[in-house]
Amino acid sequence: MSLKRRTILQMIPAVAAMSIAPALRSQASHHVVVVGGGFAGATVAKYIKMWSAADPRVNMRVTLVEPRVAHVSCIMSNLVLNGQLKIRDLSFDYAALQGKYGVEVLQDRVQRISKDGPEIKLKNRGWLAYDSLVVATGIAFDPIEGLDDPRKTPHAWIAGGQTNLLRNQIRDIPERGTFVMSIPDKPYRCPPGPYERACLVADILQRRGSGYRVIVLDANNGIQAEKETFTRAFSELYGDIIDYRPLQRVVGVDQNSNYVHTKILTADGQETGGEDAVYGDVLNIIPRHGAPRLLVNSGLTDGGRWAPVDPTTYGSSLDRFPGVYVIGDSQATGQPKSGHMANAQAKICADAILRRAAGDSLDSDERLDNLTTNSACFSPINASEASWLTAVFRYNRDTGNMGLVPGSLGEAHNWNSENYRDMFSWSENLFADTFK
Ligand SMILES: Cc1cc2nc3c(=O)[nH]c(=O)nc-3n(C[C@H](O)[C@H](O)[C@H](O)COP(=O)(O)OP(=O)(O)OC[C@H]3O[C@@H](n4cnc5c(N)ncnc54)[C@H](O)[C@@H]3O)c2cc1C
């Protein structure tokens, strides 16, 4: 059974409805500090306040710490490249979280998570104590040799100024020029996102004339999401422009000569010893991802790339971090790194924190059997047509992990204008559910 498009549009309210309104018993006052106001952090802050307000037996204080005045959504940000959206269309401030739900918002950056007690260090305000800490800081990038100046070579994989910069570089690309982009080793944020970007850039350049090229250097052994759709789009729509090269890992960039240096890999990701150097007039190198340094330095990643968590609560699996939760792209459950997924995880985490604050059970059959998350990505293939991808995950008591629900992996059979319109309804629902 594959999921129908309408089902995707209904998924966000469906997750909210799953919200297992906890039977709260306690009067305890509980301070939750949320670090990062993106899809994961804004959702958890909003839902803890919203759900707890419905029950006078608990008193939840929620403080959201975020350095930016507004979050810029990566979702839909590839449409900034072709001028269909502006960054301001994708910017969400925290006025509703503060005014409507009573979240306290501190514009600040968390520098340290104490290993000695329940407190964090803010850049401008010193130490802040918590009862529960939710870390929702998204991703950081590995360094690449020579890739030192993001003003020259933007990744635009965290939306904002770099997205505008990349748009301008594409606008100014010389006639019959070459755009080179790279895709990092999985797991990375938004599995279909880079292929979507390749299509949109090819669409922009194709409209301009002939002779342009988009070279896609993929460190993986093939297209990672919507394989059928993108394979067809690359050959049927953009066969003259897109040159897709799997198993090429970028290891260096010369920002003066505009050459990208790659190592050629075997199908299982080992280096063959082969190398290549590829010239581009515009370079869009997306480095390999990992959890941000805040998590690595605190020990939350336990020496790995992502933070291990218990997916029934999103609490850290490490005993030394009681009361610390990690949601969104930084965590290591293996579910897709997407904003839709971050929003779903945040609700499970909010529910767990509320139950714990109230002294309620977290492992009732009813709760564990209904523990699901889902992810959806819409991919514009050109300026008026899109495809989509969706997947549902369910908690598996035997493995202790979230497993893909058999038959739930859905993919649009065609890109079309109806999907393109639905993409806006879906994203507006998600934005509203997160930030408004
Ligand atoms: C081009 C593109 C297209 C995408 N399309 C889709 C899509 O169609 N569907 C989908 O579901 N997902 C999509 N995604 C993926 C989605 O954007 C991410 O998975 C999502 O943003 C992850 O949410 P997050 O809350 O974990 O991280 P983020 O949204 O990155 O939020 C992290 C927040 O933490 C803050 N922060 C960082 N460090 C600190 C600190 N030390 N102190 C305080 N705050 C801090 C940051 O400022 C930021 O606001 C796309 C991504 C890209 C790049």
Side-chain angles (χ1 to χ4, degrees):
M1 178 193 73
S2 74
L3 282 173
K4 297 249 166 18
R5 186 170 34 82
R6 190 165 292 108
T7 317
I8 306 175
L9 296 178
Q10 289 166 349
M11 268 180 170
I12 296 160
V15 174
M18 183 211 75
S19 64
I20 321 168
L24 302 173
R25 292 191 218 99
S26 148
Q27 302 246 4
S29 163
H30 190 103
H31 186 205
V32 183
V33 176
V34 179
V35 188
F39 284 91
T43 306
V44 78
K46 168 179 159 176
Y47 272 80
I48 288 175
K49 286 302 283 184
M50 197 169 77
W51 286 342
S52 65
D55 195 317
R57 292 171 296 170
V58 284
N59 174 15
M60 304 299 287
R61 179 179 165 215
V62 178
T63 304
L64 173 67
V65 186
E66 162 63 51
R68 300 197 280 184
V69 284
H71 181 75
V72 181
S73 167
C74 286
I75 298 177
M76 306 289 274
S77 67
N78 279 332
L79 291 181
V80 173
L81 302 180
N82 69 3
Q84 289 188 307
L85 289 177
K86 299 253 184 290
I87 286 295
R88 68 167 174 271
D89 301 323
L90 298 173
S91 298
F92 300 96
D93 67 21
Y94 302 103
L97 260 56
Q98 284 178 285
K100 227 159 120 180
Y101 303 102
V103 174
E104 295 166 40
V105 179
L106 298 180
Q107 196 186 338
D108 212 327
R109 176 173 289 281
V110 176
Q111 291 183 314
R112 195 140 44 104
I113 299 170
S114 170
K115 293 176 182 163
D116 303 323
E119 51 181 2
I120 54 172
K121 182 151 187 282
L122 309 187
K123 184 169 178 223
N124 301 318
R125 291 176 171 84
W127 291 93
L128 179 67
Y130 62 81
D131 296 307
S132 297
L133 178 71
V134 185
V135 184
T137 48
I139 55 166
F141 300 101
D142 282 10
I144 291 182
E145 198 182 328
L147 187 60
D148 302 323
D149 186 356
R151 288 164 306 175
K152 186 133 197 260
T153 314
H155 50 69
W157 216 242
I158 291 178
Q162 287 206 11
T163 317
N164 281 335
L165 185 59
L166 187 62
R167 175 201 60 199
N168 294 346
Q169 291 184 348
I170 296 166
R171 181 194 63 202
D172 299 338
I173 197 168
E175 213 179 318
R176 302 167 74 81
T178 299
F179 178 88
V180 174
M181 66 175 287
S182 72
I183 303 174
D185 291 81
K186 64 183 179 189
Y188 59 83
R189 159 175 284 188
C190 191
Y195 309 101
E196 160 192 318
R197 178 172 286 177
C199 286
L200 282 177
V201 174
D203 183 49
I204 297 167
L205 298 179
Q206 194 174 51
R207 286 163 197 271
R208 233 177 263 172
S210 59
Y212 290 96
R213 294 179 77 207
V214 172
I215 299 176
V216 184
L217 304 170
D218 193 341
N220 302 289
N221 63 5
I223 293 173
Q224 293 299 298
E226 298 182 66
K227 188 166 184 161
E228 203 185 307
T229 301
F230 286 115
T231 304
R232 255 188 340 109
F234 284 6
S235 65
E236 287 177 21
L237 297 180
Y238 306 120
D240 294 341
I241 300 186
I242 293 183
D243 174 355
Y244 174 67
R245 303 182 188 177
L247 296 169
Q248 297 249 358
R249 181 181 290 144
V250 173
V251 292
V253 176
D254 185 332
Q255 292 191 292
N256 294 318
S257 67
N258 267 18
Y259 270 90
V260 180
H261 297 276
T262 66
K263 297 255 191 226
I264 299 168
L265 308 175
T266 61
D268 59 354
Q270 304 306 309
E271 291 180 5
T272 59
E275 296 178 350
D276 202 358
V278 183
Y279 173 81
D281 297 290
V282 172
L283 305 182
N284 176 214
I285 305 305
I286 303 170
R288 194 168 179 197
H289 305 0
R293 195 167 301 167
L294 178 70
L295 288 88
V296 177
N297 291 349
S298 69
L300 269 169
T301 56
D302 202 23
R305 199 165 266 281
W306 308 103
V309 294
D310 167 3
T312 68
T313 61
Y314 289 88
S316 169
S317 331
L318 307 171
D319 291 343
R320 57 185 185 274
F321 292 107
V324 179
Y325 301 77
V326 182
I327 52 175
D329 285 358
S330 302
Q331 52 68 43
T333 59
Q335 297 169 95
K337 298 196 182 297
S338 80
H340 194 121
M341 175 58 79
N343 170 282
Q345 292 171 356
K347 289 168 186 166
I348 291 174
C349 180
D351 173 64
I353 290 173
L354 285 170
R355 284 179 192 257
R356 268 191 184 143
D360 271 356
S361 155
L362 281 160
D363 40 20
S364 66
D365 289 348
E366 189 208 351
R367 183 172 190 271
L368 294 185
D369 290 343
N370 287 306
L371 215 64
T372 57
T373 54
N374 56 63
S375 183
C377 286
F378 275 82
S379 296
I381 300 292
N382 57 36
S384 59
E385 295 174 305
S387 65
W388 54 260
L389 167 73
T390 185
V392 181
F393 294 81
R394 183 181 292 284
Y395 180 64
N396 180 326
R397 290 182 195 229
D398 296 332
T399 62
N401 289 325
M402 299 298 286
L404 183 66
V405 173
S408 75
L409 196 61
E411 182 177 330
H413 297 300
N414 282 305
W415 54 86
N416 60 39
S417 53
E418 199 186 349
N419 293 339
Y420 190 84
R421 281 193 300 277
D422 286 344
M423 176 173 72
F424 284 88
S425 315
W426 161 81
S427 60
E428 275 158 24
N429 274 349
L430 180 60
F431 297 157
D433 191 55
T434 303
F435 297 106
K436 293 177 184 168

